[in-house]
């Protein structure tokens, strides 16, 4: 019987017990993310007080520099993961290169690398719109006991062992998968505890929402234009509803719950679109597929792409399975 009011802490312990050979490292890693998420949530929720407390670049009352929130989020997640000595390397959208964590005490015995986008959609903060943190976890491929190399980070998304996001929204939620379904936890800010609020999340197979920055319409490939027109046509259950926040985590979260498709296509201005394969598309694609949805670059599964560089961008179509397949059909016809 599922216990009511299960906390994320309890859920992590239970899940670890379900795998008798697990060493607990992944559990510790998720715990470190949980902690950093709470710290970042606290800071993000104060963003509206910036005129009162001081903007980034200002000196605060303690004589410390106020940091931009995305820089701060980057630091908090790296700190939390590094302090607990549970990962051997970290790559962040905010850093040019990956960071090797030299855990001399245990001779580089840690086996996981984490890639993350500390505060995605941060340009929305000034206008009080939800932002998020996205993370992706891989087992290293180079031998344990040595320092990590680029090879450990450039793995296809299908090799992810865990992925998730935190959405700092009207409620703050942590949604993650370790490859056994997707579960969502909502933070009770009064006591700082995440509760299992969305067990076993399922992406609706069909949906009626399309999410795309239509301001770029004229620059989109013909197939994408035709798909957008299809969404707008008066036929069957169409026209669909257009919803675009411009904050990937929030757009994805809404579509995951309600059913829909998110598109960030290639365009004549940006041939590979805007979103980053390693920090944004892979983790979101893993979550989508674990929930029964689909993620594609228009031609193939996002999770099958073998990355060639850390900050690689990729066109992104993600959402309800039938809607993504429909978009792929159009893209294929007009390729
Ligand atoms: P960021 O990583 O610089 O925050 O950019 C990523 C964000 C996504 O959250 C969102 O889906 C996209 O950029 C919106 O881009 P645009 O303003 O071009 O529509
Ligand atoms: Mg981003």
């Amino acid at each position: 019987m599922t216990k009511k009011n299960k906390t994320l802490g309890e859920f992590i312990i239970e899940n670890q017990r379900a795998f008798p050979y697990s060493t607990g490292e992944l559990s510790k890693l998720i715990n470190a993310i949980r902690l950093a998420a709470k710290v970042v949530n606290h800071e993000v929720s104060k963003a509206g007080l910036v005129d009162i407390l001081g903007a980034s670049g200002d000196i605060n009352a303690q004589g410390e520099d106020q940091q931009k929130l995305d820089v701060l989020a980057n630091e908090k997640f790296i700190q939390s993961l590094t302090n607990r000595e549970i990962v051997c390397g970290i790559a962040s959208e905010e850093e040019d290169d990956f960071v090797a964590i030299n855990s001399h005490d245990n001779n580089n015995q840690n086996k996981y690398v984490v890639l993350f986008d500390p505060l995605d959609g941060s340009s929305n903060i000034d206008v009080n719109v939800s932002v998020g943190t996205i993370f992706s976890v891989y087992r290293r491929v180079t031998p344990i006991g040595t320092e990590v190399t680029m090879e450990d980070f450039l793995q296809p998304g299908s090799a992810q062992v865990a992925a998730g996001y935190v959405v700092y929204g009207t409620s703050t939620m942590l949604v993650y998968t370790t490859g056994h379904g997707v579960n969502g936890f909502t933070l009770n800010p009064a006591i700082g505890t995440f509760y299992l609020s969305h067990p076993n999340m399922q992406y609706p197979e069909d949906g009626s929402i399309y999410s795309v920055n239509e301001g770029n319409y004229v620059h989109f490939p013909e197939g994408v234009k035709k798909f957008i027109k299809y969404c707008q046509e008066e036929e069957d259950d169409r026209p669909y509803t257009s919803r675009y926040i411009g904050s990937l985590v929030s757009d994805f979260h809404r579509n995951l719950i309600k059913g829909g498709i998110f598109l960030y296509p290639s365009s004549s201005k940006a041939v590979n679109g805007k979103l980053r394969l390693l920090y944004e598309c892979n983790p979101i694609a893993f979550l989508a597929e674990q929930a029964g949805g689909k993620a594609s670059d228009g031609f193939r599964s996002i999770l099958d792409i073998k990355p060639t560089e850390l900050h690689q961008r990729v066109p992104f179509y993600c959402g309800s399975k039938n809607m993504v397949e429909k978009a792929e059909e159009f893209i294929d016809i007009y390729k």
Side-chain angles (χ1 to χ4, degrees):
M1 201 179 73
T2 322
K3 175 180 168 289
K4 267 194 166 174
N5 299 336
K6 190 183 288 180
T7 67
L8 173 55
E10 288 168 339
F11 181 87
I12 291 171
I13 293 168
E14 268 175 35
N15 267 27
Q16 194 190 319
R17 284 203 198 111
F19 300 97
Y21 298 109
S22 111
T23 57
E25 279 173 84
L26 190 56
S27 301
K28 283 190 200 147
L29 201 162
I30 303 291
N31 265 323
I33 287 172
R34 170 180 70 154
L35 177 66
K38 286 193 231 177
V39 175
V40 172
N41 175 62
H42 182 68
E43 295 299 330
V44 169
S45 66
K46 290 190 303 189
L49 294 168
V50 103
D51 288 340
I52 297 158
L53 302 178
S56 59
D58 288 358
I59 308 285
N60 70 12
Q62 289 79 42
E64 299 157 333
D65 281 337
Q66 297 275 333
Q67 286 175 307
K68 278 185 72 180
L69 276 174
D70 39 12
V71 178
L72 186 129
N74 187 46
E75 268 182 31
K76 293 298 171 198
F77 276 91
I78 292 182
Q79 245 172 33
S80 184
L81 291 163
T82 312
N83 287 350
R84 290 167 177 224
E85 300 211 338
I86 39 183
V87 293
C88 51
I90 301 174
S92 159
E93 200 188 278
E94 287 285 324
E95 310 273 345
D96 293 338
D97 212 344
F98 66 83
V99 185
I101 312 293
N102 291 310
S103 158
H104 294 300
D105 288 353
N106 74 359
N107 245 337
N108 280 315
Q109 291 302 303
N110 301 329
K111 56 176 180 283
Y112 294 113
V113 294
V114 173
L115 296 91
F116 77 114
D117 182 353
L119 212 55
D120 184 68
S122 52
S123 62
N124 284 316
I125 288 179
D126 291 350
V127 289
N128 208 355
V129 168
S130 305
V131 291
T133 298
I134 312 172
F135 63 91
S136 167
V137 182
Y138 294 83
R139 205 167 275 120
R140 65 181 302 175
V141 288
T142 52
I144 286 194
T146 62
E147 199 168 278
V148 282
T149 69
M150 189 62 99
E151 216 189 316
D152 295 310
F153 296 93
L154 298 184
Q155 300 188 51
S158 54
Q160 288 173 102
V161 294
Y165 59 80
V166 185
V167 54
Y168 309 99
T170 40
S171 286
T172 290
M173 280 190 70
L174 194 156
V175 176
Y176 82 101
T177 180
T178 52
H180 305 278
V182 178
N183 290 284
F185 301 82
T186 302
L187 181 67
N188 177 346
I191 51 173
T193 302
F194 280 103
Y195 288 97
L196 178 59
S197 51
H198 295 62
N200 193 20
M201 297 176 86
Q202 297 292 323
Y203 219 121
E205 231 177 299
D206 289 294
S208 58
I209 296 175
Y210 71 104
S211 312
V212 62
N213 184 342
E214 280 184 76
N216 295 327
Y217 183 86
V218 292
H219 301 288
F220 288 154
E222 201 49 33
V224 175
K225 286 182 181 167
K226 290 282 194 294
F227 176 71
I228 292 173
K229 284 291 162 222
Y230 165 86
C231 294
Q232 297 168 344
E233 261 165 31
E234 193 114 28
E235 215 180 313
D236 303 328
D237 59 340
R238 288 169 283 136
Y240 295 147
T241 298
S242 167
R243 289 283 181 273
Y244 188 72
I245 298 170
S247 200
L248 172 63
V249 172
S250 312
D251 277 310
F252 175 78
H253 186 71
R254 181 203 52 241
N255 291 358
L256 166 61
I257 291 173
K258 298 199 162 185
I261 181 170
F262 174 92
L263 307 91
Y264 209 107
S266 58
S267 72
S268 48
K269 285 196 303 190
V271 282
N272 293 317
K274 175 183 183 187
L275 300 180
R276 318 277 182 143
L277 174 61
L278 295 179
Y279 314 110
E280 295 164 333
C281 303
N282 269 340
I284 294 291
F286 189 28
L287 287 159
E289 295 211 353
Q290 279 295 314
K294 202 168 168 167
S296 151
D297 70 351
F299 300 97
R300 59 194 161 152
S301 165
I302 287 290
L303 299 179
D304 287 342
I305 301 173
K306 172 80 182 91
T308 51
E309 51 183 299
L310 275 183
H311 297 281
Q312 188 169 338
R313 295 174 200 266
V314 72
F316 193 51
Y317 307 90
C318 177
S320 293
K321 189 170 162 287
N322 292 340
M323 294 181 94
V324 174
E325 283 172 3
K326 194 69 181 172
E328 282 179 327
E329 262 175 46
F330 279 102
I331 292 168
D332 187 56
I333 295 171
Y334 294 94
K335 68 176 181 276

